[in-house]
Amino acid sequence: MGKRNTLIAGNWKMHTTVVDGCRLAMEIAKACADYPDREVLLAPPFTILSEVSHVLKDSEIIVGCQNVCWEEQGAFTGEISPVMIKDAGAVAAIVGHSERRQIFGETDELINKRVKGAVKFGLLTILCIGETLDEREKGHTFEVLENQTRKGLAGVAAEEMARVVIAYEPVWAIGTGKTASKEQAQEAHAFIRGVLGQIYEKTIAEQTRILYGGSVKPTNVDELMAQPDIDGALVGGAALDAESFGRIVNFK
Ligand code: PGA
């Protein structure tokens, strides 16, 4: 492969205030400075997007948010528009994270609106999908992944796919310390790429980056990234520690 540009994204979730977020961003910029061939993205909370974007303005690291509305402005209490995201210096958005789905009840239909809005306004859009433990144990993994992929991307045109990244995050591996084995992850990624090939053309499927997420750590990143269909990582816990995140970005 080797044609897809690796993306390592750090999702800070609901962590960090201005001072510690800016400090962490600076430390991460230092830890990642030697690896300009890998795209690195940090997704801090909305409240510090501007500050973190400012801190990173001279680095290669790009900034994204963790959720986004589909409208430019209006009566959407509690939501943040893609235009506001860009105004804060961010260029990317994570959409459909399993915590949004599970804790806040976001459906595939709602997530699809977010994806379309983010793409329309030019944000690099990371659509998260993944099965729960129950779904895996019942043998429904592929059905769930196909459904979430098809519904999440409904109405997204082939030419917009250049701005879309898929993140495969098995829910049972998020924040649990349990990682999918490299074989399980590769199998899921290859399956998702096959679904993309059915929705779009093979070339689009080949060009779309599919990240793995779920307890990615310095100790397991190398074997995961060596898989042919794994094009990067979406990192939660380990992205809150500059040394760990730097090591993940510098996977071998
Ligand atoms: P984790 O989180 O790395 O802490 O498992 C990943 C994610 O939720 O994106």
Side-chain angles (χ1 to χ4, degrees), residues 1-245:
M1 295 272 146
K3 278 201 220 91
R4 296 180 292 267
N5 191 14
T6 303
L7 172 63
I8 306 290
N11 172 13
W12 289 0
K13 307 194 178 183
M14 199 171 71
H15 295 283
T16 69
T17 50
V18 175
V19 173
D20 45 320
C22 288
R23 191 187 309 129
L24 179 60
M26 263 185 270
E27 287 171 5
I28 287 178
K30 223 184 275 169
C32 298
D34 293 338
Y35 318 109
D37 58 321
R38 288 169 189 176
E39 198 172 353
V40 180
L41 181 153
L42 292 179
F46 290 120
T47 46
I48 63 167
L49 278 180
S50 284
E51 284 87 349
V52 169
S53 300
H54 184 73
V55 163
L56 295 174
K57 69 179 187 318
D58 295 326
S59 80
E60 298 287 323
I61 300 177
I62 60 172
V63 174
C65 59
Q66 302 170 18
N67 198 10
V68 66
C69 191
W70 51 92
E71 291 285 345
E72 184 172 349
Q73 59 179 340
F76 296 91
T77 301
E79 291 285 324
I80 313 279
S81 91
V83 173
M84 295 168 179
I85 297 298
K86 293 201 287 189
D87 187 48
V91 296
I94 296 171
V95 177
H97 189 278
S98 69
E99 285 149 18
R100 297 302 317 169
R101 294 177 189 263
Q102 304 224 307
I103 306 172
F104 300 99
E106 294 201 5
T107 60
D108 286 311
E109 289 67 31
L110 181 71
I111 289 161
N112 175 242
K113 282 183 162 188
R114 296 192 188 282
V115 169
K116 284 190 290 193
V119 167
K120 177 177 152 199
F121 285 96
L123 294 171
L124 179 70
T125 306
I126 303 178
L127 167 64
C128 302
I129 61 171
E131 81 286 0
T132 62
L133 184 58
D134 187 51
E135 289 163 343
R136 176 163 282 266
E137 285 174 346
K138 289 192 172 126
H140 296 161
T141 298
F142 294 133
E143 187 188 322
V144 169
L145 296 181
E146 172 156 9
N147 241 318
Q148 291 181 345
T149 304
R150 285 186 181 276
K151 289 183 175 167
L153 295 176
V156 176
E159 55 278 13
E160 292 173 321
M161 283 302 288
R163 295 198 291 283
V164 174
V165 173
I166 307 288
Y168 168 59
E169 298 202 297
V171 178
W172 48 272
I174 296 179
T176 56
K178 277 190 219 158
T179 322
S181 68
K182 57 184 193 306
E183 292 83 9
Q184 282 172 324
Q186 167 58 27
E187 183 186 36
H189 281 230
F191 175 79
I192 295 161
R193 203 175 298 288
V195 174
L196 292 174
Q198 287 166 18
I199 306 174
Y200 303 99
E201 305 163 1
K202 202 153 178 253
T203 48
I204 302 275
E206 285 301 321
Q207 283 159 12
T208 304
R209 290 179 288 181
I210 307 176
L211 314 182
Y212 171 79
S215 298
V216 175
K217 301 178 274 244
T219 47
N220 60 23
V221 66
D222 299 342
E223 59 177 28
L224 286 163
M225 292 307 127
Q227 303 308 306
D229 285 293
I230 301 186
D231 308 311
L234 180 52
V235 185
L240 292 170
D241 178 77
E243 202 185 320
S244 299
F245 191 69

